[in-house]
Amino acid sequence: MTPPRKRALITGITGQDGSYLAEYLVGLGYEVHGLVRRVALEQPELRLGRLRSVLSQIQIHPANLDSYASIFHVLSQQRFDECYHLAGQSFVAESFADGFSTMSTNINGTHYVLAALKELQPKCKFYFAGSSEMFGRVHETPQRETTPFQPRSPYGISKVAGYHLSANYREDFGMFCASGILFNHESPRRSFEFVTRKISAGVARIKLGLASELRLGNLEAQRDWGHARDYVRAMHLILQQPEPDDYVVATGEAHSVREFCELAFAEAGLDYRDFVKRDEAVHRPAETDLLIGDASKARLVLGWQPTVGFVGLVKELVQADLELLASTTQQNPSAVHPG
Ligand code: F7E
């Protein structure tokens, strides 16, 4: 007899990570469910666009991270084997502008999901989306699971709180709660406000003659950038372990925004120095120190490793944006690419 299909719930399923994870789990034979804000159902072509390839195979439930009742309601209707909590306000710069809403959504949202699971489904495994932003002013380089946290943004603080909430539910109530401490992970599905996609979309606009410059903040900032498709595999592996635990997921290589620009413009046959302008308005009140992850534990215990390197990542983003913009302008010559 074939075993019953595993059932997974993904909060934040409409985002970059949520959509890749949904595709991955559907491919593994899971029954996949996702929480989305009700507004997404009113504009499905816009808000569910990243889920296009699996939309007919997954189940969507309206719920709001700010409402315990809505999360409780969904969890009272269905039993889940695994819950991936990816939803939240994820743009670090925005968290400086409005720390209150970032804290409220990210901390309370995580707490509501954990509390509802404890009440209704304490056996469901829980994945928390931790972040390298938790390290902030770093205590050692590269950073690993034992490196102390010292966040430098309201976003980082909210992630540290979520991490500790997850650890508390694990220790106090015996639930299977595990965190991935993910370093930056990108893809053509990234939103346009993040620097990688801002650059690749900017290159495409310039290449197609729709813009003449790209305004960026700190070009010397460095990040450990991987591919989101690789990182969702790690999320899944983390929940397949016999014991719940926390893992750093990273490539172990740091590159600067300047290097990203250099490669991205070169991919389109351009020199970034002719187009990139400094924009003081994009500078952040505080930057993290050098964030580089040591993913030895994930490699050793999970058998995980990234398949896409920095050069491959930059190429994929630029090629995808060139194709997207060329097809958009062909269909509607007056359309302006967002970003
Ligand atoms: O910035 C610098 C900026 O906004 C990267 C999220 O997924 O990863 C992400 O957070 C760096 C920073 O991502 C611009 O100052 C320069 O040093 O792409 P970002 P992030 O803040 O690292 C972590 C792991 C998360 O958990 C987050 O959710 O690039 N930078 N010029 C710029 N950044 C932006 N956005 N725009 C610029 O024009």
Side-chain angles (χ1 to χ4, degrees):
M1 217 172 70
T2 46
R5 287 170 82 195
K6 277 194 184 172
R7 195 179 285 151
L9 178 67
I10 305 175
T11 77
I13 195 168
T14 58
Q16 168 188 260
D17 295 3
S19 62
Y20 280 120
L21 181 62
E23 286 170 5
Y24 185 61
L25 295 181
V26 165
L28 292 177
Y30 276 64
E31 182 180 313
V32 174
H33 295 244
L35 291 192
V36 304
R37 277 172 289 183
R38 191 166 285 285
V39 64
L41 301 176
E42 289 163 12
Q43 296 173 294
E45 42 321 297
L46 182 72
R47 309 241 183 192
L48 305 181
R50 293 185 180 99
L51 290 167
R52 208 168 291 123
S53 70
V54 285
L55 203 49
S56 61
Q57 300 168 71
I58 63 179
Q59 295 179 48
I60 296 289
H61 308 273
N64 188 334
L65 268 198
D66 297 326
S67 156
Y68 178 73
S70 71
I71 295 166
F72 190 92
H73 177 72
V74 174
L75 288 173
S76 65
Q77 303 293 306
Q78 299 264 2
R79 297 237 141 251
F80 296 100
D81 299 291
E82 297 168 11
C83 171
Y84 297 86
H85 178 44
L86 312 184
Q89 196 299 100
S90 63
F91 189 36
V92 176
E94 166 61 21
S95 81
F96 287 111
D98 181 3
F100 294 97
S101 64
T102 301
M103 297 275 212
S104 164
T105 306
N106 291 5
I107 301 177
N108 291 337
T110 303
H111 202 177
Y112 293 155
V113 176
L114 281 166
L117 281 174
K118 171 177 168 271
E119 207 57 42
L120 299 165
Q121 310 196 26
K123 294 265 176 286
C124 174
K125 294 180 172 183
F126 175 82
Y127 171 87
F128 175 67
S131 161
S132 51
E133 284 291 310
M134 302 193 308
F135 295 119
R137 181 165 274 173
V138 304
H139 285 232
E140 63 180 340
T141 302
Q143 295 85 46
R144 46 195 167 159
E145 294 77 7
T146 49
T147 305
F149 299 135
Q150 193 176 341
R152 297 208 82 197
S153 63
Y155 170 81
I157 295 169
S158 75
K159 286 292 175 182
V160 171
Y163 170 91
H164 286 306
L165 276 166
S166 307
N168 272 200
Y169 272 76
R170 174 167 77 210
E171 288 156 18
D172 300 352
F173 307 118
M175 289 167 59
F176 190 114
C177 300
S179 293
I181 305 174
L182 270 53
F183 283 62
N184 295 53
H185 44 287
E186 316 296 314
S187 76
R189 295 186 191 173
R190 227 354 175 173
S191 311
F192 291 99
E193 69 263 35
F194 294 95
V195 76
T196 52
R197 189 76 198 282
K198 185 173 171 182
I199 297 169
S200 60
V203 167
R205 279 203 310 277
I206 291 169
K207 182 71 182 174
L208 298 192
L210 296 170
S212 55
E213 63 173 34
L214 175 63
R215 302 183 75 81
L216 294 173
N218 182 7
L219 294 186
E220 310 319 325
Q222 295 191 40
R223 286 292 186 276
D224 178 336
W225 278 299
H227 197 297
R229 208 186 301 107
D230 279 336
Y231 288 36
V232 302
R233 279 192 294 109
M235 296 177 187
H236 175 253
L237 285 167
I238 287 171
L239 292 197
Q240 309 315 306
Q241 303 312 303
E243 298 298 330
D245 205 348
D246 307 320
Y247 298 87
V248 161
V249 180
T251 69
E253 253 185 52
H255 296 275
S256 65
V257 174
R258 186 183 294 283
E259 280 174 87
F260 198 105
C261 287
E262 200 174 339
L263 279 180
F265 278 84
E267 182 65 20
L270 304 169
D271 185 334
Y272 81 99
R273 289 169 297 189
D274 297 334
F275 305 101
V276 172
K277 302 279 179 301
R278 293 296 289 269
D279 186 349
E280 288 306 316
V282 192
H283 276 262
R284 297 179 181 181
E287 267 288 358
T288 51
D289 294 330
L290 184 52
L291 295 176
I292 308 183
D294 174 356
S296 312
K297 181 173 165 185
R299 256 202 317 276
L300 219 71
V301 180
L302 307 177
W304 176 86
Q305 56 181 17
T307 63
V308 182
F310 181 65
V311 175
L313 179 69
V314 178
K315 276 180 186 289
E316 185 180 328
L317 261 81
V318 172
Q319 287 306 331
D321 268 323
L322 283 169
E323 278 166 32
L324 178 67
L325 191 55
S327 69
T328 317
T329 45
Q330 249 168 25
Q331 285 161 19
N332 176 8
S334 63
V336 177
H337 211 252

